[in-house]
Amino acid sequence: MSDDRLIVALDVQNAIDGLKMAETLGDTVSFYKIGLGMLTGGGLALANELKGEMGKRIFLDMKLFDISATVEAAVRGLAQFDLDFLTVHGDPHVIRAAKEGASGTNLKILGVTILTSLDRADLDECLIRDGAVPDLVIDRAGRAFEAGADGIISSPQEAAAIRALPESQGRLIVTPGVRPAGAASGDQKRIATPASAISNGADHIVVGRPVRDADDRKVAAQAILDELATL
């Protein structure tokens, strides 16, 4: 049985490969993430097919960032596709504009805090203000919630502290950077296992390469579901 706490990232080249992967996983997976990497490869068409033809839930990971009017217009256009989650940067003006664009629909706006592939050295290079990464993530999460975000994206290592924020009540925490025990971390720097991410307060975990690159994708996804079932 599927469990929509698991979101599988369709990090493949195009919609044809994405559809094949979804067909292989079948009823095991009910929720998929489609990101920027597939935008020019038919990502929106795939989202519509998975949603309309296969009854899957869809997380569109676009991480939108622009002036308010542009974000609002972009989100209004995307909201017509009846998707479930959409990411934007967690800056308050972006969140407010995205919520306005999604008004009247069921689309949930998720604010990105700090990418799970970044550490303090990366933030220094980008001239981001001083402070420990977890503290900055928690601060950005709180501001995103105050601006109206339906949820936030953070690494599983910060999930517990974000869940402790009063503003997080009734909001979603979605955690990428999740790796089953023994899996390679790849370019992710702030990771945790599926069970620990959920135990720390995440509502959904996003898993990509450990399923995509497995010899048997369905078996890999089922192993994660079995781990979640123990909670």
Side-chain angles (χ1 to χ4, degrees):
M1 295 294 292
S2 62
D3 180 339
D4 73 1
R5 290 179 296 178
L6 170 63
I7 301 175
V8 170
L10 292 175
D11 293 333
V12 291
Q13 286 192 329
N14 54 55
I16 294 173
D17 291 342
L19 183 59
K20 288 179 180 177
M21 182 170 170
E23 289 173 340
T24 295
L25 293 170
D27 293 337
T28 306
V29 176
S30 59
F31 211 152
Y32 287 102
K33 180 178 84 75
I34 296 174
L36 279 171
M38 205 200 288
L39 185 61
T40 58
L44 285 177
L46 177 61
N48 286 332
E49 184 162 358
L50 292 176
K51 182 83 175 183
E53 302 295 328
M54 300 175 68
K56 305 299 185 181
R57 299 185 70 191
I58 299 297
F59 166 18
L60 195 63
D61 187 19
M62 295 289 104
K63 300 183 181 71
L64 299 177
F65 180 85
D66 212 309
I67 63 172
S68 296
T70 300
V71 170
E72 181 180 338
V75 174
R76 183 172 290 112
L78 292 169
Q80 68 181 311
F81 294 106
D82 190 31
L83 307 174
D84 296 276
F85 295 171
L86 172 69
T87 51
V88 303
H89 276 260
D91 305 67
H93 82 278
V94 178
I95 296 290
R96 288 190 288 267
K99 286 292 293 179
E100 186 63 29
S103 63
T105 74
N106 294 320
L107 180 63
K108 301 294 187 186
I109 299 299
L110 308 182
V112 175
T113 53
I114 294 175
L115 299 177
T116 52
S117 61
L118 302 182
D119 58 19
R120 185 63 252 181
D122 298 311
L123 300 186
D124 290 340
E125 189 174 27
C126 295
L127 302 180
I128 303 299
R129 71 173 172 86
D130 292 341
V133 172
D135 294 337
L136 296 180
V137 169
I138 294 162
D139 188 16
R140 282 180 62 80
R143 295 185 186 201
F145 288 143
E146 289 171 0
D150 298 298
I152 57 89
I153 306 292
S154 80
S155 93
Q157 295 183 8
E158 292 100 32
I162 293 171
R163 183 54 74 198
L165 293 172
E167 302 93 333
S168 76
Q169 299 308 304
R171 313 291 181 95
L172 297 166
I173 298 176
V174 179
T175 59
V178 172
R179 295 287 186 268
S185 60
D187 58 3
Q188 302 286 9
K189 296 178 181 177
R190 302 184 340 266
I191 64 174
T193 63
S196 63
I198 295 294
S199 297
N200 285 340
D203 297 284
H204 300 274
I205 60 172
V206 180
V207 181
R209 277 164 285 192
V211 172
R212 184 197 67 190
D213 297 342
D215 292 334
D216 188 320
R217 291 169 168 173
K218 194 168 187 176
V219 168
Q222 187 60 56
I224 295 170
L225 294 173
D226 290 344
E227 182 176 337
L228 295 183
T230 65
L231 301 175

